[in-house]
Amino acid sequence: QVQLVESGGGLVQAGGSLRLSCVDSGHTFSAYAMGWFRQAPGKEREFVAAISWSGDTTYYADSVKGRFAISRDNRKNTVYLQMNSLKPEDTALYYCAADYWGLGSPKSDVYEFWGQGTQVTVSS
């Protein structure tokens, strides 16, 4: 069973950085592609970044390309989202999600497991 717990969110000024972590307490983390999604108040959930189960392939939303970086450490059952040059429009609840043997996808409906989210707030 996959259980995902996000951490690392907080309040940061525009232009600052945060690193989000998502830990899987299960034992098959390396078999899952991982994705990060976010949802701002009053808006639909949107794709941010994804990484294949092997870590060889990554995908990014255009809005974060060049500013965010997704990575994973399968020894630690952890996926990271390094967020740089943060903007107020990045403010949202950030979720990680797991897709069994996936290659990484921007489509939320392929992900079987989801965390509870961690809040990121960027002040102007």
Side-chain angles (χ1 to χ4, degrees):
Q1 182 71 17
V2 175
Q3 292 185 323
L4 304 174
V5 179
E6 303 95 335
S7 64
L11 174 64
V12 64
Q13 289 188 331
S17 298
L18 283 174
R19 188 175 80 154
L20 305 184
S21 299
C22 172
V23 178
D24 170 22
S25 60
H27 301 288
T28 57
F29 177 77
S30 60
Y32 289 83
M34 300 299 295
W36 285 99
F37 291 78
R38 67 187 181 187
Q39 187 167 19
K43 294 188 177 181
E44 297 289 318
R45 183 170 55 191
E46 65 173 358
F47 169 73
V48 176
I51 188 166
S52 62
W53 64 270
S54 65
D56 290 344
T57 308
T58 56
Y59 304 88
Y60 296 95
D62 288 342
S63 59
V64 306
K65 203 171 292 183
R67 299 188 299 122
F68 291 11
I70 189 171
S71 62
R72 66 188 298 158
D73 185 341
N74 287 345
R75 297 167 300 174
K76 296 182 179 180
N77 284 12
T78 302
V79 62
Y80 304 98
L81 185 68
Q82 178 66 45
M83 306 187 295
N84 300 324
S85 302
L86 283 161
K87 305 175 181 180
E89 51 263 44
D90 295 317
T91 295
L93 188 61
Y94 282 71
Y95 299 90
C96 68
D99 172 24
Y100 189 59
W101 288 122
L103 298 177
S105 173
K107 299 180 180 180
S108 61
D109 57 2
V110 307
Y111 292 87
E112 295 97 338
F113 301 98
W114 293 79
Q116 294 299 306
T118 185
Q119 178 67 39
V120 171
T121 303
V122 184
S123 63
S124 58

